Amino acid sequence: MPAQRLTLYTSIALIFISIELCAQVDTPGVALDTLFTVDLPETENVDAASKYSQPSFEAPTSITIVGSEEIENYGYTTVNELLKAQRGFYETYSRQYTTIGIRGFNRVNDYNSRILVLFDGHRLNIFDGAPLGSDLSFDMSNIERVEVIRGPGSALYGTNAMLGIINIIPKKREDLKITGRYGSFDSKKLSFNGGRTITDKFGFSVNATLYDTKGEDLYYEEFDSEETNYGIAQNLDYERTYGIYGRLYYSDLELKAFASFRRKGNPTGSFFSDFNKKSETLDKYQFFELSYKMSFSYDKFIRARLFYDMYDFNGLYYVKLFGFNGFGSAQNLARSVGFEAQFIWDVLQNNRIITGIEYKHDLEKKIYMGMPGVTVLNINHPMDQFSYFIQNEYQYSSRLSFYAGLRIDTYNPTHDLFNAGRTVLNPRFSINYAYDEDNIFRLSYGAAFRENNIYERYIEVPFLYKKNTDLKAERIYTTEVSWEQRLSRKLKSLATLYHYNMTNLVDVEYHAEGGYYQYRNIGEAETFGVELETSANLSEGWSGFIRYSYQYTTDQDERRLSNSPEHLLKAGVTKNINRYFNIALEYQFESARITNYGNKTNSVHYAQANLYSGVTENLRISLLVRNLFNSSIRYPSGLQFRQDTILQPGRNYLFTIEYIIK
């Protein structure tokens, strides 16, 4: 019997056996929302760590929860701005896309493909990468919280959850909030966030966002010649986005719909495009999800969902290359449907099992590349994915708990679920120990993976690229120990020590004999790191944090990995100036990064200030100044750029006004 068929039969059998046992057994216990509660200080709940809501100190991995108050106080306007203020995180912005690095790893061309991004629990890694910058068109004033989960998450979520999981939770309001923003580079943004509970069982919420900016005129010395406008890209840094998210629910049935559209000019001349000629990219993310949840009793809970995902990318580039002179095009398209069923059972008062199955069917997964009048690449390789996951949580005592999880993912490119495919197994183990009510220790081990995208496996261009259908999935193996301490009711600290080992990293290799490029599993990386954090909420309106990360990342030849700063330092403070005005100051430092061409960037000193005021109960205004000291900040670029580094925006301003209609 093929391994895939055995996996399918075993998974289905385990699900039905569990349900049958649940129907026969009614063990004394406690409610789902109180299991594993010990005498510890109050904490926020996290949804994404174990696929159900649990206190953050019970989660089997390192968690940071950034709430709406912190988002508004510091003036974060995109998810990447929020993330780069967290320990172990840093960003790279190419003037086209923003990618996030975690704990020393960020390949400049990966488009966040090694981070799993969830929006209200729904996967946004539809094609492979995911939006975390302005390509996610959703105003941050409409965010309830962002869950930042470090470390591997493939034991529950499968592919992409290598370095971490970001879960973005929108607000569910009972009124209407209107937010308007205006700032430097003629940037304008308008958002609406409203909702209503019509009856005890029926209600809705809607979020909508519009954004437009002219951007900057930018100078690049690499193009400084008369033929290329002396290196000045004029009117090409523009950006236009709009997005909408809606939620409709009746009792335990819920329907979600999401759409994000973004058009961005290309001012850098990347991908061999003719400099200072109009080139742009268009990204569209969309999904629909219908979910249902039900409790059999106080200790048995089931959730099922159906989903439909869509992603479209269209890159338009003016090229003068190989005798071509005109607009070339690059297109990616993905359409998929699927379902997931999840079952939670408190077998005993101290034992919880989370298990489930997931199936995804690609309707289309296409890549097209063309020059004027010529099709260079046109491929369609959809795939089926079947997964089974299980996690067992065991409370040995009131202060000691164990977690063990495993997920099996089977990928099949033939659309025949019982035919040949390949299977990836990913375990996760964790031990949580509360020494007393002020000290919590966590030891965890996990494995995760990223499945190859169709570009890496199937790109074939005559005399240039050769496909490689033998590529293996990228893997990561991690070990982490952390200590969370409450020094007082107003002062908390955290220390983390971790080790990452990444194998089968996919990269392009040139074959001189054949005269072609090919994606191969040629890379490895290893990271040793330490993270320290202290946060305080003091009297007289003071609060703040300080975060330090040391991350030493090397490749398979024991050389420092490119685009990987060794030291990160972040600090922030908020203060009530008087009855009406408050100020938030933030500072970020990072050490030099190595570029793809072997050079080093300067260290980064970045500061921002946000002055905000609750004028009335319904009216709030703020003024944000980014890059307060107008520092010259450069980040490494990818191999598709002629520039070695890309200059980041200088000092800029943003004025915001918010009004709530009740």
Side-chain angles (χ1 to χ4, degrees), residues 133-148:
S134 56
D135 46 344
L136 177 60
S137 183
F138 195 87
D139 195 85
M140 292 292 286
S141 67
N142 299 333
I143 298 295
E144 179 64 33
R145 69 182 186 275
V146 176
E147 300 173 354
V148 181

Side-chain angles (χ1 to χ4, degrees), residues 299-319:
D299 61 353
K300 303 176 185 71
F301 176 85
I302 192 169
R303 179 178 181 267
R305 66 186 185 99
L306 302 172
F307 59 86
Y308 176 53
D309 294 337
M310 296 173 282
Y311 172 70
D312 294 89
F313 165 83
N314 191 356
L316 189 66
Y317 305 95
Y318 192 92
V319 294

Side-chain angles (χ1 to χ4, degrees), residues 640-654:
Q640 70 271 32
F641 295 85
R642 186 186 297 185
Q643 303 93 325
D644 190 24
T645 60
I646 300 295
L647 181 67
Q648 304 302 296
R651 184 189 298 117
N652 61 92
Y653 307 87
L654 182 67

Side-chain angles (χ1 to χ4, degrees), residues 491-509:
L491 189 64
K492 296 184 296 183
S493 68
L494 178 141
T496 300
L497 178 67
Y498 62 87
H499 171 251
Y500 284 9
N501 184 30
M502 304 179 70
T503 63
N504 294 337
L505 293 178
V506 176
D507 215 338
V508 177
E509 187 176 48

Side-chain angles (χ1 to χ4, degrees), residues 326-427:
F327 284 102
S329 176
Q331 300 173 14
N332 298 340
L333 181 147
R335 303 284 188 273
S336 59
V337 296
F339 72 88
E340 179 183 4
Q342 177 185 336
F343 179 64
I344 301 177
W345 179 22
D346 292 345
V347 184
L348 300 170
Q349 293 187 31
N350 62 344
N351 192 192
R352 168 175 289 176
I353 292 177
I354 303 102
T355 186
I357 57 175
E358 184 177 350
Y359 174 70
K360 188 183 78 167
H361 171 76
D362 288 339
L363 302 171
E364 293 179 286
K365 189 160 279 189
K366 295 181 179 180
I367 295 179
Y368 170 84
M369 298 173 64
M371 296 291 192
V374 177
T375 297
V376 177
L377 179 69
N378 190 5
I379 59 176
N380 181 25
H381 282 276
M383 186 175 294
D384 282 354
Q385 173 193 341
F386 178 79
S387 308
Y388 168 72
F389 60 87
I390 185 169
Q391 179 170 285
N392 192 349
E393 306 176 2
Y394 177 68
Q395 188 77 16
Y396 178 78
S397 69
S398 63
R399 300 192 181 278
L400 180 63
S401 59
F402 300 89
Y403 294 78
L406 176 68
R407 176 165 166 140
I408 304 170
D409 289 274
T410 299
Y411 289 87
N412 194 323
T414 65
H415 276 337
D416 181 356
L417 190 59
F418 299 101
N419 206 338
R422 60 174 175 172
T423 300
V424 186
L425 281 73
N426 291 277

Side-chain angles (χ1 to χ4, degrees), residues 66-348:
V66 184
S68 59
E69 183 178 0
E70 183 174 347
I71 291 172
E72 293 191 355
N73 289 351
Y74 284 99
Y76 303 134
T77 59
T78 58
V79 178
N80 70 282
E81 290 181 358
L82 177 152
L83 291 176
K84 72 173 185 174
Q86 309 308 310
R87 53 184 162 84
F89 282 75
Y90 59 101
E91 71 170 1
T92 301
Y93 177 48
S94 67
R95 292 282 178 173
Q96 200 73 32
Y97 295 100
T98 299
T99 60
I100 291 296
I102 304 180
R103 291 178 166 176
F105 193 89
N106 181 16
R107 309 298 279 179
V108 292
N109 297 320
D110 77 352
Y111 302 106
N112 301 314
S113 62
R114 297 173 178 92
I115 304 172
L116 178 63
V117 180
L118 307 174
F119 189 89
D120 208 5
H122 190 103
R123 171 187 289 266
L124 290 184
N125 300 71
I126 299 173
F127 195 86
D128 189 23
L132 281 172
S134 56
D135 46 344
L136 177 60
S137 183
F138 195 87
D139 195 85
M140 292 292 286
S141 67
N142 299 333
I143 298 295
E144 179 64 33
R145 69 182 186 275
V146 176
E147 300 173 354
V148 181
I149 303 168
R150 296 167 183 81
S154 291
L156 285 178
Y157 290 96
T159 185
N160 300 116
M162 292 184 69
L163 300 172
I165 301 169
I166 310 300
N167 189 22
I168 305 160
I169 309 294
K171 289 182 177 178
K172 301 171 179 64
R173 305 189 66 91
E174 289 293 321
D175 50 29
L176 175 63
K177 178 180 177 181
I178 303 173
T179 303
R181 304 182 191 269
Y182 184 81
S184 301
F185 321 125
D186 195 26
S187 62
K188 302 173 285 290
K189 195 170 193 177
L190 181 65
S191 72
F192 303 87
N193 182 10
R196 185 71 63 189
T197 299
I198 299 174
T199 69
D200 291 342
K201 295 184 177 181
F202 178 66
F204 71 94
S205 61
V206 177
N207 300 269
T209 300
L210 299 169
Y211 174 68
D212 179 86
T213 181
K214 292 181 179 179
E216 304 178 72
D217 289 343
L218 300 165
Y219 168 74
Y220 298 103
E221 61 180 356
E222 293 83 358
F223 295 96
D224 193 347
S225 67
E226 184 178 357
E227 294 78 15
T228 52
N229 198 36
Y230 299 99
I232 300 174
Q234 292 181 304
N235 303 319
L236 290 176
D237 193 35
Y238 61 86
E239 183 174 10
R240 301 177 185 93
T241 75
Y242 61 93
I244 188 169
Y245 173 70
R247 172 179 171 266
L248 182 69
Y249 64 90
Y250 177 78
S251 188
D252 293 323
L253 189 66
E254 184 177 46
L255 176 65
K256 301 176 184 177
F258 172 88
S260 176
F261 300 83
R262 182 217 194 201
R263 186 183 301 274
K264 176 67 174 70
N266 173 21
T268 59
S270 60
F271 291 104
F272 307 105
S273 60
D274 202 24
F275 184 78
N276 200 38
K277 293 291 180 64
K278 183 176 181 179
S279 298
E280 64 178 20
T281 57
L282 175 66
D283 292 89
K284 301 179 183 179
Y285 291 86
Q286 301 170 78
F287 73 73
F288 298 91
E289 177 181 303
L290 179 66
S291 64
Y292 179 74
K293 57 185 178 181
M294 180 177 65
S295 296
F296 290 100
S297 63
Y298 61 83
D299 61 353
K300 303 176 185 71
F301 176 85
I302 192 169
R303 179 178 181 267
R305 66 186 185 99
L306 302 172
F307 59 86
Y308 176 53
D309 294 337
M310 296 173 282
Y311 172 70
D312 294 89
F313 165 83
N314 191 356
L316 189 66
Y317 305 95
Y318 192 92
V319 294
K320 290 182 180 178
L321 189 67
F322 302 135
F324 295 106
N325 187 356
F327 284 102
S329 176
Q331 300 173 14
N332 298 340
L333 181 147
R335 303 284 188 273
S336 59
V337 296
F339 72 88
E340 179 183 4
Q342 177 185 336
F343 179 64
I344 301 177
W345 179 22
D346 292 345
V347 184
L348 300 170

